[in-house]
Amino acid sequence: MEHVVIIGNGISGVTAARHIRKLSDKKITIISKETKYFFSRTALMYVYMGHMKFEHTQPYEPWFWEKNNIELKEGTVTKINPLTKSILFDNEDSLKYDKLIIATGSKPNKFGWPGQDAKGVFGMYHKQDLEKLEKYAPDNKTCKRAVIVGGGLIGIELAEMLHSRNIPVTFLVRESSFWNGVLPDGESAMINREIVENHIDLRLNMNLKGINTDKNGKAKSIVIAETGEEIECDVVGLTAGVSPNVDFLRDSDIEIGRGVKVNRFLETSNPDIYAIGDCAEQHEPIGERRAIEAVWYTGRMMGETVAQTICGNKLEYKPGHWFNSAKFIDIEYQTYGWVWAKPKENEARFYWEHESGKKCIHINYDKNTRKFIGINTFGIRMRHEFFDKILNDGETVDHVIEYLADANFDPEFYKLHEPEIVQKFNKENNTNIKLKKKSWKRIFSRV
């Protein structure tokens, strides 16, 4: 019986295992050093915030794995030998495979800062990080202040987590505005305001110089590189992005770049070895996407795709149109298609922001053909199916504006803003677009 071994039990590895089981009777082993059972990594923050218990983050009961004949092995892999098709562990144990899937995910970035490995210094990616957070920041008496280094999505989640327990937070962001390498100016400024309004000490254009420790090796303060200012703290969150977790593969004769190099079929440089999820790096990026995508849904799609290939239906990985979602404290964010931080030469933009400063949409389109390219939406929920169809059909920005109310997915009784948005668009573009009748009915039935 063919033995499929999967290193990593995150969304990518577990999805691959589930779909291989649906399609075959192959022997399946999942290896993990983090936890025995799969859990939803994105839900860790809600455990700390008291909205759920850790066991609630596990989608499958413990009996699920035995029932589906999926073996779970706890251990730390140190090397892979493709010639002998064997996996070596840190306890000198070994395991043979016929097909191997590398799904080891990401690890937080560190940049050689003094004190970066001290007690009370950690990222917010693994279950062990949550355990450290509970140990070093259970309340605002134990942790009188925390400093977060890095202004991405994980950083703002950690800030929100600490804020929920009334722990003062200083947030060091090296950019001139929050996440402005991804977000255009309007959206970035909106999130700056949201952070500050929640009494988080946002420090823009600031880098970490080092972390000072006490006699027990625990963080006691940080120093800002630009000013030399020392800030006393009990916890330091390192959230300056993540990198593929592939260091253990450096001596394994598998082609590595930043991640494990794969082709469109998620095959590595070695026969019968595949890589999926955050640790996989495409030789050539797919369309406008990055070669490495540390995104939950792309990891799931890779798991589904590689399962088909391993079970005899060789399938190319096609992630479709880019989309993503997140939450910046109380402001929900969605993006469909492409809205760059700065428009390209052929692109034009339409931006609407609500007077509250907590809702906006930003549409990107081709200024010559008026073809819709993408949308950012903050504080307004939009339907994925709507924009997927719009992008597939190559519709114009005028079509999107005309049917914008049909894209809205806010709960019932929420006030909708499409008439105001259309009015602003018409004024700026010298057009006379009207919402379709069915859209108007939806608005007036819910205002």
Side-chain angles (χ1 to χ4, degrees):
M1 181 184 297
E2 186 174 65
H3 187 194
V4 180
V5 175
I6 302 168
I7 307 175
N9 72 341
I11 185 62
S12 303
V14 165
T15 300
R18 287 179 50 244
H19 282 262
I20 291 169
R21 177 53 68 238
K22 287 179 181 179
L23 297 167
S24 75
D25 293 323
K26 299 178 189 293
K27 181 181 179 181
I28 303 171
T29 301
I30 301 177
I31 302 168
S32 175
K33 69 175 183 179
E34 183 179 11
T35 58
K36 183 176 181 179
Y37 300 115
F38 166 61
F39 68 93
S40 174
R41 196 173 303 282
T42 54
L44 282 179
M45 66 180 294
Y46 300 111
V47 177
Y48 182 82
M49 294 172 72
H51 300 319
M52 59 174 63
K53 296 179 180 179
F54 180 74
E55 52 265 33
H56 298 155
T57 71
Q58 298 172 328
Y60 308 107
E61 297 287 350
W63 52 258
F64 171 88
W65 309 100
E66 185 175 353
K67 179 182 177 182
N68 287 278
N69 197 23
I70 297 173
E71 181 183 351
L72 305 180
K73 180 177 176 60
E74 295 180 89
T76 300
V77 177
T78 56
K79 189 173 181 180
I80 296 167
N81 190 332
L83 292 177
T84 61
K85 288 195 168 184
S86 59
I87 298 166
L88 306 178
F89 295 85
D90 61 351
N91 62 359
E92 299 185 358
D93 194 6
S94 64
L95 183 68
K96 292 280 190 178
Y97 67 86
D98 295 302
K99 295 279 197 304
L100 175 65
I101 302 173
I102 302 169
T104 48
S106 298
K107 58 183 177 62
N109 287 334
K110 294 182 179 181
F111 296 99
W113 296 298
Q116 66 181 19
D117 296 317
K119 298 173 185 175
V121 181
F122 42 84
M124 192 57 234
Y125 188 82
H126 301 287
K127 180 178 184 287
Q128 287 76 11
D129 295 327
L130 177 65
E131 293 166 353
K132 290 175 184 176
L133 195 60
E134 285 287 6
K135 177 180 179 180
Y136 293 107
D139 51 54
N140 58 14
K141 294 183 177 63
T142 305
C143 180
K144 295 180 173 57
R145 177 167 293 276
V147 174
I148 297 171
V149 181
L153 296 178
I154 298 175
I156 199 165
E157 285 182 356
L158 181 54
E160 182 180 359
M161 292 164 68
L162 292 159
H163 181 60
S164 74
R165 297 197 185 185
N166 298 312
I167 295 171
V169 175
T170 294
F171 201 175
L172 302 187
V173 175
R174 69 178 181 178
E175 292 83 14
S176 59
S177 185
F178 182 85
W179 216 32
N180 64 358
V182 175
L183 298 179
D185 293 344
E187 294 96 300
S188 180
M190 177 181 291
I191 304 308
N192 289 343
R193 295 194 300 269
E194 181 71 4
I195 292 168
V196 173
E197 286 174 11
N198 279 273
H199 309 291
I200 293 166
D201 177 27
L202 178 62
R203 307 285 191 98
L204 300 172
N205 292 309
M206 296 290 178
N207 285 275
L208 176 67
K209 181 178 181 180
I211 301 165
N212 296 323
T213 58
D214 62 19
K215 61 182 181 181
N216 298 314
K218 182 183 174 299
K220 67 173 185 178
S221 66
I222 64 98
V223 178
I224 296 176
E226 286 75 12
T227 64
E229 179 186 358
E230 183 177 4
I231 300 175
E232 293 185 359
C233 58
D234 300 290
V235 159
V236 180
L238 300 182
T239 61
V242 294
S243 300
N245 184 23
V246 297
D247 289 344
F248 72 102
L249 296 171
R250 298 293 177 189
D251 298 323
S252 293
D253 194 33
I254 297 170
E255 186 179 357
I256 304 290
R258 288 186 59 230
V260 183
K261 290 283 193 174
V262 296
N263 61 18
R264 292 291 192 265
F265 297 96
L266 306 170
E267 299 167 321
T268 70
S269 57
N270 298 76
D272 300 322
I273 300 180
Y274 306 82
I276 58 176
D278 296 14
C279 69
E281 178 182 2
Q282 289 282 333
H283 283 287
E284 298 293 334
I286 299 173
E288 299 285 356
R289 290 172 173 267
R290 295 180 178 179
I292 299 172
E293 291 188 321
V295 182
W296 182 89
Y297 80 88
T298 57
R300 175 180 53 79
M301 292 171 70
M302 288 186 205
E304 294 173 357
T305 301
V306 81
Q308 291 286 335
T309 294
I310 283 176
C311 293
N313 177 30
K314 191 169 183 177
L315 200 62
E316 184 177 347
Y317 170 59
K318 294 181 179 179
H321 299 294
W322 169 253
F323 71 93
N324 202 6
S325 63
K327 187 167 171 281
F328 299 99
I329 306 180
D330 289 325
I331 298 178
E332 294 183 12
Y333 158 68
Q334 292 171 286
T335 185
Y336 301 100
W338 301 108
V339 185
W340 320 104
K342 303 293 181 186
K344 297 183 178 181
E345 188 176 343
N346 66 308
E347 294 174 348
R349 298 283 176 87
F350 168 68
Y351 183 75
W352 168 87
E353 185 175 305
H354 188 256
E355 61 185 3
S356 67
K358 293 183 180 291
K359 295 181 181 182
C360 74
I361 67 165
H362 203 159
I363 296 176
N364 188 29
Y365 61 97
D366 189 296
K367 64 185 178 184
N368 300 313
T369 66
R370 300 187 69 77
K371 182 179 178 181
F372 173 79
I373 297 172
I375 184 171
N376 284 345
T377 171
F378 286 73
I380 302 173
R381 296 178 186 176
M382 297 285 189
R383 298 177 187 275
H384 175 252
E385 296 83 358
F386 176 89
F387 287 107
D388 202 48
K389 181 171 177 15
I390 290 291
L391 289 162
N392 281 334
D393 294 348
E395 297 285 5
T396 64
V397 61
D398 306 284
H399 181 93
V400 170
I401 293 296
E402 186 177 14
Y403 288 95
L404 193 61
D406 290 334
N408 191 292
F409 196 47
D410 274 335
E412 194 172 2
F413 304 122
Y414 270 51
K415 183 175 181 180
L416 303 184
H417 305 284
E418 282 77 6
E420 181 184 338
I421 295 169
V422 172
Q423 183 180 21
K424 186 173 191 287
F425 183 87
N426 282 334
K427 184 176 180 181
E428 290 183 4
N429 288 271
N430 196 28
T431 52
N432 189 31
I433 294 172
K434 293 182 172 61
L435 290 166
K436 291 295 185 183
K437 285 185 178 180
K438 62 178 180 178
S439 300
W440 280 94
K441 285 180 181 178
R442 286 184 66 247
I443 291 171
F444 288 120
S445 68
R446 291 170 54 181
V447 169

